[in-house]
Amino acid sequence: QVQLVESGGGLVQPGGSLRLSCAASGFTLDYYAIGWFRQAPGKEREAVSCISSSDSSTYYADSVKGRFTISKNNAENTVYLQMNSLKPEDTAVYYCATSPGLVTIDPMDWDYWGQGTQVTVSS
């Protein structure tokens, strides 16, 4: 019943911006943590940013700190990832994931995943 649908990916030049959306259904964001992960060819899936359900505290990977911002709108049941100052190294498939309880950055600990959206940063 839990379902996540990502959108907003695309092709952008270095230094540009994209805003990813994750529409959730089957649960409410009030009680579930939400995370953005990405996976580039030849690399392991990694946590980009997460937001907790309890206090909306956030996590950012060192590689994106100062450039990416995670936010959520509980009324809309939607999570966003604002990505600024994009670099070619940000190119990956970006996934939204959710899980009740504690937040970890290990993808194996997350219960539900969206289908992913491609982000390509290239000149």
Side-chain angles (χ1 to χ4, degrees):
Q1 191 170 355
V2 172
Q3 190 166 279
L4 301 168
V5 179
E6 302 97 331
S7 62
L11 175 64
V12 65
Q13 294 183 350
S17 298
L18 285 173
R19 185 174 177 86
L20 305 183
S21 298
C22 174
S25 62
F27 68 101
T28 58
L29 298 181
D30 304 72
Y31 304 109
Y32 281 70
I34 294 289
W36 285 99
F37 297 76
R38 67 186 181 188
Q39 188 164 22
K43 292 187 175 182
E44 297 291 323
R45 188 170 298 187
E46 63 174 348
V48 176
S49 183
C50 305
I51 187 165
S52 72
S53 60
S54 58
D55 59 1
S56 294
S57 61
T58 57
Y59 159 86
Y60 295 96
D62 289 342
S63 59
V64 307
K65 284 181 179 177
R67 300 189 296 119
F68 291 11
T69 304
I70 191 171
S71 63
K72 64 176 180 177
N73 187 319
N74 288 350
E76 297 178 352
N77 236 35
T78 301
V79 178
Y80 304 95
L81 184 67
Q82 179 67 45
M83 306 187 297
N84 299 325
S85 302
L86 283 162
K87 305 175 181 179
E89 306 89 83
D90 297 318
T91 296
V93 177
Y94 283 71
Y95 299 90
C96 182
T98 190
S99 184
L102 297 176
V103 174
T104 80
I105 61 172
D106 187 347
M108 295 293 293
D109 293 330
W110 293 75
D111 296 328
Y112 305 101
W113 294 82
Q115 83 288 351
T117 185
Q118 177 71 49
V119 172
T120 302
V121 185
S122 176
S123 299

